[in-house]
Amino acid sequence: QVQLQESGGGSVQAGGSLTLSCAASGYTSRNYCMSWFRQAPGKSREGVAAIDNDGTIRYADSVKGRFTLSKDNAKNTLNLQMTSLKPEDTALYYCAAEGVGPGAYCYASLVQQEYSYWGQGTQVTVSS
């Protein structure tokens, strides 16, 4: 069973930085796409950044140039470095994963319906 555990959330002032981490267990990351989503109060969940199993990374337009996604295959962790944070980045951030068969290509979309496995989320609050 795939398990995802997020950490690193917190409260910062606008312009500050945070790094979120997602520790994955129960699978080999090479056969999975992984991503970060977020959900603000009263809003739908939106994709933030995602990485294919070949290392291709995609970002939502709202975070391009400010957020950096990286994956450590040896440690099975997915990290999201967030800089120049804005109050509108305030949300519950979720790690997600979806798998493919051995040797297959996994396209990491920013659509939540594409993912089967989810963490519990970590809160990020940015004050102005």
Side-chain angles (χ1 to χ4, degrees):
Q1 181 68 22
V2 176
Q3 293 185 329
L4 304 172
Q5 180 63 58
E6 304 95 336
S7 63
S11 298
V12 296
Q13 291 189 330
S17 301
L18 281 174
T19 297
L20 306 183
S21 292
C22 173
S25 61
Y27 69 93
T28 301
S29 64
R30 294 185 185 279
N31 294 333
Y32 282 76
C33 295
M34 296 185 73
S35 62
W36 284 97
F37 284 75
R38 66 186 181 186
Q39 187 167 18
K43 295 187 177 181
S44 57
R45 193 172 298 185
E46 64 172 353
V48 175
I51 184 167
D52 296 352
N53 59 345
D54 70 351
T56 301
I57 296 174
R58 297 176 184 81
Y59 295 98
D61 289 342
S62 59
V63 306
K64 283 181 181 177
R66 301 188 298 122
F67 290 11
T68 302
L69 185 68
S70 62
K71 188 170 73 168
D72 185 330
N73 287 326
K75 296 181 179 179
N76 265 5
T77 58
L78 183 71
N79 299 311
L80 183 68
Q81 182 179 12
M82 306 184 294
T83 63
S84 302
L85 283 162
K86 305 175 181 179
E88 50 264 43
D89 294 318
T90 294
L92 189 59
Y93 282 70
Y94 297 91
C95 178
E98 181 59 35
V100 294
Y105 170 64
C106 182
Y107 176 88
S109 78
L110 294 175
V111 177
Q112 62 172 323
Q113 287 82 1
E114 301 293 327
Y115 294 88
S116 300
Y117 304 102
W118 292 84
Q120 294 300 308
T122 185
Q123 178 68 38
V124 172
T125 303
V126 184
S127 58
S128 58

